Amino acid sequence: AEMPDFSFSPQEYITQTGEYLMTLPQHLEPYMSGDMSHLSRAFKVGGFPGSSEAGDTEAPVDFILGCIAASTCQTYMQELARVPTLNNNTAKQLGVDIGYLGDILEDLGHPLSTDLSNASTLLKLPAANFNVESAGYPSRTVTLVRTLRSIS
């Protein structure tokens, strides 16, 4: 039986991830003050994972958080693609978990990637309306979620 939407809350794995992500600014605090232009230049020249999605920012801490946010979203999408199948309740749960991650990243000043945000929305759609309501979303993400949820 399908569970109502209000009965879902973020699972422990994602709340622990969120708690860790929320501690990052305090760990990076030493790099928030003073002239850090040399560090900013080094980050732009270096090849940081997620740096292409992190945007162009002068603040080193914001750059690092952007890289972490982008890499987290990318990794989540890669792992989601490895899941063989999901039932409707599990799909809704993943949508809630991704939504929670999005709230955390938003608090850090870096939203979810478009792909992961779209996946979250598509995971929460009712299977009966999926083909109609998924119109307008990127075909790659629609195909991924359709395959995961075994929707024909």
Side-chain angles (χ1 to χ4, degrees), residues 40-128:
S40 294
R41 280 192 303 278
F43 285 153
K44 287 179 184 176
V45 172
F48 274 77
S51 63
S52 61
E53 293 89 8
D56 193 27
T57 179
E58 289 299 315
V61 171
D62 201 42
F63 178 82
I64 292 170
L65 289 174
C67 290
I68 291 169
S71 294
T72 300
C73 291
Q74 183 179 13
T75 301
Y76 206 111
M77 281 299 290
Q78 289 169 347
E79 292 303 312
L80 189 58
R82 295 178 56 199
V83 175
T85 58
L86 299 170
N87 65 38
N88 285 335
N89 286 332
T90 307
K92 280 185 186 178
Q93 180 63 61
L94 270 177
V96 168
D97 292 348
I98 294 168
Y100 177 82
L101 176 62
D103 292 343
I104 294 296
L105 294 179
E106 193 71 39
D107 286 348
L108 293 172
H110 299 277
L112 278 178
S113 68
T114 303
D115 283 346
L116 193 54
S117 179
N118 288 339
S120 176
T121 301
L122 293 169
L123 285 164
K124 295 183 217 174
L125 290 178

